[in-house]
Amino acid sequence: MTSQKTPQTMKPATAAKKLGVYLEATPAEFQEGVVSRDELNTLQAEPPEWLRELRRTGPHPRPVIAAKLGISISGLARGGITEALTTEQIDEIKTAAPDWLKRERETHAEVRKEEARVKAARSES
């Protein structure tokens, strides 16, 4: 007797997070359904136009915004950024280079340096 495997599915919010897109900007059919592992793999391998456009122009979720600005998600909050931003808005922030962004980039660089030091120390022992 063989048992049939049920396909592994995830909520749209989880799939959007894995795809690096802002859920509220995805099409309604994506938001309202469930996404199977196979569908997610297909979306990653062969993204449809709506997904390519979202990745290109946004709006982007906080982890993507933080990465594009070179800071942490906490740094976004400290800088007052709590909403999704488009690529154009992110570029405007980069161009304006406000003081908070400079501070957060420095802080982020220090944290990364410390993490690398700790990792190196662990691997030596």
Side-chain angles (χ1 to χ4, degrees):
M1 179 185 239
T2 60
S3 62
Q4 279 190 317
K5 284 189 171 182
T6 58
Q8 187 180 22
T9 60
M10 61 193 83
K11 295 178 183 176
T14 304
K17 187 174 183 177
K18 289 181 181 286
L19 292 169
V21 295
Y22 186 58
L23 177 62
E24 286 75 12
T26 61
E29 58 270 10
F30 181 86
Q31 293 180 37
E32 294 165 1
V34 293
V35 180
S36 72
R37 174 64 61 188
D38 290 338
E39 290 170 331
L40 178 69
N41 291 340
T42 300
L43 287 170
Q44 289 172 326
E46 301 166 17
E49 182 55 35
W50 65 263
L51 181 54
R52 287 194 302 271
E53 185 64 23
L54 268 180
R55 287 177 170 169
R56 188 172 35 255
T57 62
H60 302 288
R62 288 179 300 140
V64 174
I65 298 168
K68 286 180 179 273
L69 291 175
I71 62 175
S72 67
I73 296 172
S74 300
L76 279 179
R78 286 189 293 269
I81 308 284
T82 57
E83 299 296 319
L85 299 177
T86 63
T87 301
E88 185 178 323
Q89 291 169 313
I90 294 168
D91 290 342
E92 287 172 6
I93 292 171
K94 284 180 181 178
T95 302
D99 289 339
W100 69 265
L101 180 58
K102 292 175 190 172
R103 278 192 314 274
E104 291 302 333
R105 282 181 170 168
E106 290 168 3
T107 301
H108 193 62
E110 289 172 20
V111 168
R112 294 260 184 196
K113 188 193 267 185
E114 179 63 13
E115 287 173 347
R117 185 194 66 75
V118 168
K119 184 177 179 181
R122 283 188 190 146
S123 66
E124 290 174 5
S125 51

